[in-house]
Amino acid sequence: MTTATNVNTYDVVVVGGGAAGVGVAIALKHAGIESFIVLERHTVGSSFASWPAETRFITPSFPTNSMGMLDLNSIAIGVSPAFSLEVEHPTGREYALHLRGVAKFFELPIREKTSVTRITKVSDDFRIDTADDIFRAKHVIWAAGEFQYPRLSGFVGSKLCRHTATIASYEELGGDDFIIVGGYESGVDAAYHLAYRDKRVRLFDKSCPWQDESYDPSIALSTYSLERMREDWFEEQVELFPETPIASVTRVDATYEVTARDGRRFQTRVPPLLAGGFEGSHKLVAELFGRRVDGYPLLSEHDESTIVPGVFLCGPAVRHDNHVFCFIFKYRQRFAVVAKAIATSLGLPAEGLETYRNWGMYLSDLSCCGQECVC
């Protein structure tokens, strides 16, 4: 039950202070929108700061240059984590520091430690309830991300596993015989760091992402991960089980038994690690969006809800047709689209967004960055 007493009114409320929330907030400023606030339930960049200590960005960072190219991990024109951090593959903690620096530089109005409990459409406006206050806004941008919402289901006994998103450091894990369910980026990352510490690892995946021929990193493993899989210790310590979906995990006394759908059984005395991805925060506001066949929110060409006008989605859950925007360099292309749509609704010219066009960040309809092109 909310005990909110204060009412704060804005043109836009952005929910989430991660890469998507900070990035779209900067675009709002460039669009000439002054009356907005970013609500973050923890601190800016907290999802990145929660990554395992050893985990790094799979997309490399290079400084912004004059050729119209942005650092792949940049969220705004003129900033670069490679330049500010002097690191090519930042850790989550390093990137969180970068985001905080960017938010401070752009003087973004961010309210931390503010958890949104409910969003309600009231006439032509929205009511955003938090534990302490009520916010009113003409528009809401949901940009709460996904890392803090791991997928814990998928097969019988999955809750006996430990999701990789809950691990502070792979160095802290006891035991020397690990089973990992999920062979995409987080699964390979976990196997890499455990193998580096001379742990035996068995890595299971329902397909075979390390042999997928697609050039889209939303589908196939990144070059960074493939390169690490060729390290001597990875090849010596990690046994791969492609095309091996898991049916169940059970525990008898101190032993965990992992059963594949083909009937094979594998035992370990260490809780299996689950690297099956994330539910995503968009599930929390599912009633505000229509639903695609794949379960993701159905969006207009401006990333607006098709059933509740005024609500926008920003971040890795954005989908258009077969285009998947799950990396920063993909979903940042939608920041200006959302900002321009809101500015137009408010009667603002959004002239400050014209610069975005020259940096591959689009202002109107979906025009790039799907599986059919290289961006």
Side-chain angles (χ1 to χ4, degrees):
M1 177 180 294
T2 180
T3 58
T5 56
N6 300 317
V7 178
N8 308 271
T9 303
Y10 297 91
D11 284 336
V12 188
V13 166
V14 180
V15 181
V22 172
V24 77
I26 294 169
L28 292 177
K29 290 198 73 170
H30 288 158
I33 299 170
E34 298 179 353
S35 177
F36 73 90
I37 191 169
V38 179
L39 305 181
E40 164 55 44
R41 73 169 178 168
H42 297 305
T43 58
V44 170
S46 60
S47 287
F48 293 98
S50 300
W51 284 9
E54 301 88 348
T55 299
R56 294 179 174 273
F57 271 64
I58 60 175
T59 44
S61 283
F62 291 94
T64 298
N65 62 55
S66 60
M67 300 297 292
M69 299 283 289
L70 280 178
D71 183 321
L72 286 179
N73 299 314
S74 174
I75 57 168
I77 297 170
V79 301
S80 165
F83 182 81
S84 62
L85 299 173
E86 298 183 340
V87 175
E88 183 175 338
H89 292 275
T91 65
R93 289 173 176 80
E94 289 170 336
Y95 194 76
L97 288 174
H98 169 73
L99 286 181
R100 292 168 196 158
V102 170
K104 183 177 180 180
F105 176 81
F106 284 97
E107 299 180 336
L108 299 181
I110 298 178
R111 180 165 169 175
E112 298 182 319
K113 301 189 182 302
T114 302
S115 182
V116 172
T117 58
R118 184 172 56 183
I119 299 175
T120 311
K121 187 74 179 281
V122 181
S123 187
D124 294 330
D125 296 333
F126 292 91
R127 169 175 166 152
I128 300 94
D129 287 88
T130 71
D132 300 314
D133 296 290
I134 296 172
F135 295 82
R136 293 272 188 166
K138 294 182 176 65
H139 305 87
V140 174
I141 301 175
W142 187 263
E146 59 179 24
F147 187 79
Q148 296 181 40
Y149 307 90
R151 182 178 294 116
L152 302 175
S153 58
F155 51 83
V156 175
S158 59
K159 292 186 178 180
L160 293 172
C161 303
R162 183 174 182 183
H163 199 284
T164 54
T166 68
I167 296 172
S169 172
Y170 290 107
E171 187 176 14
E172 74 174 16
L173 298 182
D176 54 16
D177 181 15
F178 289 84
I179 287 178
I180 300 175
V181 181
Y184 193 54
E185 300 294 353
S186 56
V188 170
D189 184 67
Y192 174 84
H193 293 297
L194 291 170
Y196 178 77
R197 291 173 170 80
D198 295 324
K199 311 289 187 179
R200 179 196 178 198
V201 179
R202 285 169 286 177
L203 180 63
F204 295 81
D205 195 83
K206 62 183 178 181
S207 56
C208 189
W210 48 84
Q211 289 185 355
D212 197 298
E213 295 182 355
S214 171
Y215 51 73
D216 186 349
S218 299
I219 300 173
L221 280 178
S222 65
T223 304
Y224 183 62
S225 292
L226 292 173
E227 182 180 18
R228 293 191 298 168
M229 290 181 74
R230 292 195 292 270
E231 293 285 359
D232 291 342
W233 67 79
F234 191 101
E235 294 181 342
E236 292 172 2
Q237 298 294 124
V238 179
E239 185 176 2
L240 301 175
F241 291 84
E243 312 293 342
T244 310
I246 299 303
S248 66
V249 173
T250 57
R251 181 181 179 182
V252 179
D253 297 326
T255 300
Y256 296 86
E257 184 168 86
V258 178
T259 303
R261 289 185 187 172
D262 61 13
R264 285 181 292 170
R265 299 183 178 185
F266 308 85
Q267 289 79 32
T268 176
R269 297 179 71 83
V270 181
L273 301 184
L274 184 59
F278 304 90
E279 292 287 350
S281 67
H282 62 280
K283 301 284 187 178
L284 303 178
V285 289
E287 73 279 2
L288 299 176
F289 292 89
R291 188 172 178 177
R292 287 165 43 112
V293 174
D294 60 7
Y296 282 91
L298 183 64
L299 305 174
S300 74
E301 64 179 3
H302 303 299
D303 297 355
E304 185 176 11
S305 169
T306 58
I307 62 173
V308 184
V311 178
F312 295 79
L313 181 66
C314 192
V318 172
R319 300 286 189 276
H320 285 285
D321 297 325
N322 65 336
H323 302 334
V324 180
F325 291 82
C326 60
F327 285 92
I328 290 173
F329 74 87
K330 290 187 172 188
Y331 65 72
R332 73 182 181 197
Q333 295 186 73
R334 309 301 295 169
F335 294 163
V337 174
V338 172
K340 184 179 180 182
I342 293 176
T344 300
S345 174
L346 295 173
L348 300 173
E351 295 175 351
L353 291 175
E354 287 302 319
T355 306
Y356 282 58
R357 195 186 307 275
N358 298 328
W359 293 82
M361 300 169 79
Y362 298 94
L363 300 180
S364 55
D365 59 354
L366 180 70
S367 54
C368 192
C369 206
Q371 297 174 14
E372 307 304 323
C373 64
V374 179
C375 304

